Each structure stands twice: as C-alpha cells, then as structure tokens.
Amino acid sequence: MPTDQTLRPVVRQSQIESLLADLSRWAQASATSSVVREQQRLLGSLLVAAPELVARIQSPLLIATFGGTGVGKSTLVNALVGAEITRAGVTRPTTCVPTLVIHQETSLSSLGFSTPRSSAALRETSSPEFHVQQLDLPILKQFALLDFPDVDVDEIAIEGSNLARVRELLPLCDVLLVVSTQEKYRQARLQTELRAAASHARVLFVQTFADRDEDIREDWRKDLVRDFERVEIFFVDSKKGLEESRRGMRPAGEFGQLMATLEQESIDGLRPLLRHNNLIDLIENTLSQARSALEAHRPLVQRVSDRLEAEDRKLTANLSERLKTELESEQQPWEERLISAVAEAWTISPLSALLRFRARWSTFLGSYALLRSRTVVQATIAGSLQAVDWLQRSQRDSQARAALDQLGTSALTEADLRNLASIVQGDASQAGFDPIDWSTDQRRQEAGQLQLTMCLKARELVDQLVQKLVKSNASPVVRWGYEILLCLFPAWLLWRICYNFFYEAFWLGKPHLETSFYFPAALLLAGWCALWVWLITRRLKRGLQHEIRALASDLARQQIPGGLFIQLRERVDQFEQFEREVQNLHERARVIQKDLRNRPTHLGFSRHQRLLETSKTP
C-alpha cells in the first residue's frame, strides 16, 4: 500500500511538471511588449533544458570537486572511488581538463552531457579537452564524479581556459565538493567563483591534508556562513582513506562520514529530492529575474495607463458637463414626459385627471372646438391649430433627443487629438509597446465611438431617471396625501350645495343659492385645482432638476467602456496580465521550494537565494 513517503515524490514531480507546463504556455503566448518578450526568451532557454533535467531525476548524482591548485581534489576523487584513477599533484596545476568518472553502465546522456552547453566539452571522450573513465565499481552506480580543473589559474573565462570549462559544466552538477586547505581557504579568487557556482548545486566543504595541516574549520565556517546555509565541513586525510579502501576496509574518521553523507544523499529515495531541489531552484531563480524585470518596468507602463485614464476622465467630464447643460436647456420635453408618466401611474383619480388635462389641454380644447365647429372654415382653423400644437410637441421631443446624440461633437478638436497622440506615443515608446495606428482618423473614430457610447448611456440613464421619479411619486403616501388635500375644497363645496338644496331649501323653505355663490365658487375651485396641479408639477420638476445634476456627476465618475487609444489600452492590460501570471508562477515555485528545503540534509546551499526570496516577499 503506498505510503506518504512513496507518494510525496510523485506529487512533487507532478507539481513541477504542471509548473513547467504553465511556464511553457506563458513563454509561448503572443506579447506586444518588448520587455515581456525578453523575459519569454529567458524562460524559453530554461524550458529547453528542463526536459533533460526532469529526465535526469532518477539518474546517478553528478558530484564535482571544486577548488584551486594543489588542494587535493584528484586525491579526494581517488579516495572516494577506492582506486587511483586520476593523477595527483601538489603545487602545479595538475588537473587541466575535466575528468568524469562514471559506471560502465551509465550513459553520458543520462547525466545531461548531450545538452548543447556541454557538447563542445564532450566532442570526443578521449580528446585532450575532456577525459571520461568508465569503471565497474558499485559506488559509481549511486553517483558519478567530476574532477574540475583548477579554477584559480585563470583570471578571466576566455575560450579554452580552465575557468571557462568549469562554468560550462556547472549547470550539470548536483553536488559540489568544495575542497580547500589551510593555506587557500581564504583565497579571494576562489570565494568569488564559489559564490557564483553554488547557485547551480548543493555544496559540501572539505578540508584536506588532515595528516599535516591544522584544523581551520571554525575560521572557514565564519567566512562561509555569510553566503551559505547548512555549512558542513569535513576534515579528511584522502591518502589514508584510499589506502583503507584498497585493503577492503570501510574508511574511518571524517572521511568515512563524508562517504556516508554522499551515499545517503545518493540513495534512490533521496536522489530525486536533491534533483528536485536543484531544478526548482533554477526555475525559481529564473522566475525571480523575470518578475524583477517586469516590476522594474512597471512605472513606465503605469505612466501610460495613468495618461490614458487622465485623458478619458477629462473627456468624460467634458461630455458630462455638456449633458447637464443640454438637459437643463431642453428640460420641458422630459418634464412633460414625467408628468404624463406620473398621471398614468396614478390611474383614475381626480388629481391624475387634472394632470392629464394639464398635459393635453391644448388637445382637449382643439377637439372641443372641432366638435363645436358650425362651418368648414371653423373646422379647418381648429384642425390646423391642433396639428400645429402636435408638431411643436414632436419637435421639442426630437430636439431633446438630438441634444443627447450630439453631446461629443466638439469635445475634442483635431488639433487636440494630434497633440494628445504625440504625447501618448512618446510614453508608449518608452514603455516598450509595439506601435499602433497613431493617425488622427483612428483617434477620431475612437472619440466618436466613445461619444456614441456616452450618448447611449445618457439616454438609458434619463429613462431610468424618469422611471425612478415616477416610482417615488407613485407611492401611496405621496399620492393619497395630494389626493386628499386636493379633495378638501371640492368636498366642502359639494357639501354646501347639497346642504342648501336638500335641507335648507326643501325642509326650511329657504331660497336656493344664487349665481353670486356659484360664480365665485367656480373660480375658487379652478384656482384650488390649479394650485395643487402647480404644487405637484413643481415637485416633479424640482426632483427632475436634482436628478439631472446627480446624473451628470454620476456619468463623470463612471468608467465608460472604450475611450481613446483602445489598442494601447489593450497592450497595457496584456502587460498587467503577464505580470500577474509571472507573480503567480513565482509564488508557486517558492511554495515547492520551501517544501523541499524543509527536509533535513547535510548539503548546504547559497544564502543569496534565500535572501533574494526574503526581499521578494510582499
């Protein structure tokens, strides 16, 4: 039955493969920013090497010796193998070419030497550029050994130099055995190269010549802890270890501890973990560089975004002010529409009847005049007046709607568009965006589209505004409050007439009310009705004016779809999307990296990566 220990490597492998797949999609996506394309090329170089790195998960570890001249690297390799396979020296640069020691069943391709970076060094296994020794030794099934040339011979990494060979092969190494002595552990040249080399692999430190030198590990550790975590230093006598191995004995002392550590890290269960560590470190480091590059470029992109938003706000504010002016100057059609809508909402009632009469009084009078016409001339005059009134109403309504449709006609002149395009083009060029169509015709089309969108939005909001006012004024409290107040005087007047007719005149014999009562009563009734019609229409008009001002302010704050430089805005949005995706990929890599580094191990790693992670933490 699978256990957690057996499933964890499978899960981890799946996480890394999923991360690499997402990295591949990101690197292959079409980008309109030169900075993004540069980072895509960087990740593309990682993805070229990633399949071989993944394929090497189960292959033997590649352990390389790293150090200066005469520190005993070759002797250490001989002792680890248990046979004298490389020539050892003391002071002169004995190791001038890399020497690879592998098991006779191990192929070079399984160690990654078929990659383009190492193909030059492995043109021929017997050439003076590279030595390969294949031996039938059990320990070589667990790890292969690579004896690097002395790195303190050359000052610069010119082609063919020891330093160039070392730098070419470093990415293939899993573990570095950093070898030094009492005399050379503080050599500045070695420390500089070590800091660069340790970013590719885990490290163990070895002080050789334990038979003759003093133990300087404490002083060396003080220098190393500034750049490395988990500093493990072994003080070994390689010659003694080699002799013990030749006699068939297990090496004792710290050399035996070094052997046990390498064997422990090389066993089948831990080997994938070490390879996963190295692979995820490479992925995290590459993503960190890409993320830093995009974040460093962010201010230039933000300046373009801010410029576009500022111009859109300016244009939107201009259109909103024009909207407010047009609505206020052409308010009568909207008032008539609101009053008619309120009357319809109130259905059948005294006040709704008065509102309908107020809205259509000229129509009612024209119809009455037409019905009372006695001659053809009278009917013609009445019909003409009614037609003129209808045409005037239609014209006012059409003018009100046309005012909305022509809001943005003079919002931006051609000179404004030309100057704006020149400014934005400079910002976009500095931000590294691909060119767009900077012609004035394109800007005019975008401005027209924005104006059309703004007008349609304004008409929609005006319709919503009217419906809102109708709903608020059709509430039972408002409606019945006005209805009751309106009916107070007509109810009293009706009571007074009925009281006189049915009681005073019929029972008491008093005279009926004369015209001197009815005429003033009719005038007062007309005035009373006109007063309440004026009050309700005044309420509706004031509400409409308030809502129109609020509508203009709301439009100025809203994000209207579209705008100027739409293509450039799409490029800015794409850059931001790419940046968010890189941040997400980097965080995923760091989570996997953190999980891998929580496992106890004797192998050290560069502190520079850990410091970089800390500095990137939000």
Side-chain angles (χ1 to χ4, degrees):
M1 180 177 181
T3 64
D4 183 62
Q5 294 297 327
T6 59
L7 289 178
R8 185 173 299 176
V10 178
V11 173
R12 187 164 53 243
Q13 178 77 8
S14 175
Q15 291 175 335
I16 294 177
E17 290 177 354
S18 174
L19 180 61
L20 287 173
D22 291 341
L23 277 174
S24 178
R25 282 192 291 271
W26 189 91
Q28 295 174 8
S30 177
T32 56
S33 168
S34 59
V35 178
V36 173
R37 288 195 294 268
E38 182 179 348
Q39 303 313 310
Q40 286 179 323
R41 287 192 291 270
L42 174 65
L43 287 173
S45 63
L46 165 66
L47 293 170
V48 170
E52 293 188 5
L53 294 174
V54 173
R56 291 177 55 205
I57 294 297
Q58 295 295 342
S59 62
L61 292 184
L62 182 56
I63 301 175
T65 56
F66 183 92
T69 304
V71 296
K73 300 190 304 300
S74 299
T75 305
L76 179 62
V77 170
N78 292 336
L80 290 172
V81 175
E84 190 167 352
I85 58 175
T86 62
R87 190 162 58 94
V90 179
T91 58
R92 68 188 185 281
T94 306
T95 307
C96 297
V97 294
T99 299
L100 178 64
V101 184
I102 60 176
H103 193 270
Q104 62 183 13
E105 297 178 358
T106 302
S107 64
L108 293 177
S109 60
S110 67
L111 297 176
F113 285 104
S114 59
T115 60
R117 288 183 58 85
S118 59
S119 59
L122 286 173
R123 288 192 295 268
E124 295 178 8
T125 58
S126 60
S127 72
E129 297 295 328
F130 201 93
H131 297 318
V132 177
Q133 294 200 31
Q134 293 181 299
L135 304 174
D136 186 14
L137 297 176
I139 195 170
L140 293 179
K141 289 186 176 181
Q142 299 182 27
F143 55 78
L145 289 170
L146 179 60
D147 190 10
F148 272 150
D150 304 322
V151 297
D152 58 348
V153 176
D154 305 307
E155 291 295 329
I156 57 176
I158 60 176
E159 185 178 359
S161 65
N162 286 357
L163 192 56
R165 295 189 188 103
V166 170
R167 291 182 178 178
E168 185 180 13
L169 295 171
L170 270 174
L172 301 176
C173 300
D174 301 305
V175 180
L176 285 182
L177 289 181
V178 181
V179 185
S180 191
T181 63
Q182 179 180 350
E183 293 80 12
K184 294 197 173 186
Y185 74 98
R186 283 185 173 175
Q187 191 174 1
R189 179 64 179 165
L190 289 173
Q191 292 179 355
T192 301
E193 287 300 322
L194 176 58
R195 280 192 291 269
S199 62
H200 297 284
R202 295 299 187 264
V203 290
L204 281 175
F205 301 92
V206 180
Q207 179 189 351
T208 55
F209 304 130
D211 56 329
R212 72 180 191 192
D213 289 349
E214 295 181 3
D215 188 349
I216 48 85
R217 287 181 293 178
E218 288 304 319
D219 288 339
W220 195 12
R221 182 176 285 106
K222 291 178 183 178
D223 294 335
L224 293 174
V225 293
R226 291 193 297 266
D227 297 315
F228 297 92
E229 291 192 10
R230 298 175 185 168
V231 176
E232 187 80 15
I233 306 177
F234 297 90
F235 189 27
V236 303
D237 183 352
S238 301
K239 292 181 179 180
K240 181 180 177 181
L242 177 58
E243 293 175 358
E244 291 175 342
S245 296
R246 282 176 171 176
R247 293 197 298 264
M249 300 170 55
R250 177 74 179 182
E254 294 206 25
F255 190 88
Q257 296 177 16
L258 173 61
M259 289 283 294
T261 299
L262 294 177
E263 291 171 352
Q264 176 67 22
E265 297 293 341
S266 303
I267 62 177
D268 292 340
L270 298 180
R271 189 187 309 146
L273 186 61
L274 178 59
R275 286 274 170 68
H276 285 151
N277 263 298
N278 292 338
L279 177 57
I280 201 65
D281 282 351
L282 182 60
I283 295 174
E284 191 278 334
N285 188 37
T286 307
L287 283 171
S288 178
Q289 294 181 43
R291 181 175 181 177
S292 298
L294 294 180
E295 289 178 351
H297 196 70
R298 190 73 175 88
L300 294 177
V301 177
Q302 188 62 44
R303 183 167 66 179
V304 175
S305 179
D306 293 342
R307 177 85 65 183
L308 296 178
E309 290 180 3
E311 294 302 327
D312 283 351
R313 284 196 300 269
K314 186 187 301 182
L315 181 58
T316 302
N318 190 332
L319 293 175
S320 300
E321 188 61 30
R322 288 172 58 82
L323 169 67
K324 179 181 176 182
T325 302
E326 295 291 348
L327 286 177
E328 289 179 346
S329 61
E330 299 291 341
Q331 193 169 321
Q332 184 177 357
W334 306 108
E335 292 175 354
E336 298 295 339
R337 179 181 173 186
L338 176 61
I339 293 172
S340 299
V342 171
E344 292 294 333
W346 284 8
T347 61
I348 301 175
S349 67
L351 189 55
S352 66
L354 291 175
L355 290 176
R356 288 189 180 90
F357 179 78
R358 186 261 183 205
R360 302 296 179 186
W361 65 271
S362 58
T363 303
F364 291 149
L365 291 180
S367 300
Y368 178 75
L370 188 61
L371 291 175
R372 298 290 296 175
S373 298
R374 301 297 184 182
T375 65
V376 175
V377 175
Q378 290 178 344
T380 302
I381 295 175
S384 299
L385 292 175
Q386 191 168 3
V388 169
D389 178 70
W390 179 84
L391 288 174
Q392 288 177 345
R393 289 178 179 275
S394 300
Q395 185 177 10
R396 283 197 300 267
D397 186 68
S398 299
Q399 289 175 351
R401 293 186 176 275
L404 292 181
D405 294 337
Q406 298 174 359
L407 280 178
T409 304
S410 59
L412 285 176
T413 64
E414 185 169 341
D416 294 334
L417 292 174
R418 191 181 299 109
N419 294 335
L420 179 58
S422 177
I423 296 173
V424 176
Q425 185 176 5
D427 292 340
S429 178
Q430 291 183 4
F433 289 116
D434 292 346
I436 65 171
D437 185 0
W438 296 104
S439 64
T440 306
D441 291 339
Q442 180 65 26
R443 303 288 79 75
R444 190 181 298 110
Q445 291 179 8
E446 293 173 346
Q449 184 63 36
L450 178 62
Q451 294 160 9
L452 176 61
T453 304
M454 188 80 170
C455 294
L456 293 176
K457 186 67 175 179
R459 293 181 64 170
E460 178 185 352
L461 290 178
V462 168
D463 292 337
Q464 293 177 0
L465 181 152
V466 171
Q467 294 301 321
K468 176 183 176 182
L469 289 174
V470 169
K471 185 176 181 180
S472 64
N473 287 282
S475 63
V477 175
V478 175
R479 176 185 176 182
W480 292 111
Y482 277 97
E483 294 283 5
I484 292 172
L485 292 174
L486 170 67
C487 292
L488 287 177
F489 181 74
W492 175 84
L493 186 61
L494 180 61
W495 173 84
R496 183 69 184 86
I497 294 174
C498 292
Y499 180 79
N500 173 258
F501 184 83
F502 291 105
Y503 180 71
E504 290 182 337
F506 185 77
W507 289 101
L508 301 181
K510 292 183 178 181
H512 293 286
L513 294 174
E514 299 179 354
T515 56
S516 59
F517 170 80
Y518 287 105
F519 185 73
L523 293 178
L524 287 175
L525 179 62
W528 180 261
C529 293
L531 172 65
W532 286 104
V533 170
W534 176 79
L535 288 175
I536 187 62
T537 54
R538 178 173 176 269
R539 171 190 172 87
L540 295 176
K541 289 179 180 180
R542 292 182 64 179
L544 181 63
Q545 292 174 353
H546 174 75
E547 292 295 336
I548 286 176
R549 288 192 292 268
L551 181 147
S553 301
D554 183 60
L555 270 179
R557 291 191 300 267
Q558 285 189 13
Q559 183 67 35
I560 304 298
L564 300 176
F565 306 101
I566 297 176
Q567 292 177 326
L568 185 57
R569 190 184 307 277
E570 292 174 351
R571 283 160 168 70
V572 171
D573 294 340
Q574 187 194 63
F575 179 91
E576 294 175 347
Q577 178 65 24
F578 275 117
E579 185 180 19
R580 286 192 297 269
E581 290 176 355
V582 164
Q583 291 173 353
N584 178 263
L585 292 170
H586 187 214
E587 292 303 322
R588 285 170 58 187
R590 291 174 61 184
V591 169
I592 301 173
Q593 185 183 56
K594 182 178 179 181
D595 177 63
L596 288 170
R597 289 189 173 177
N598 285 335
R599 183 185 70 86
T601 179
H602 294 281
L603 301 179
F605 54 88
S606 174
R607 187 182 292 274
H608 172 70
Q609 291 183 357
R610 178 60 58 87
L611 293 176
L612 182 62
E613 294 167 17
T614 305
S615 65
K616 294 294 181 183
T617 302

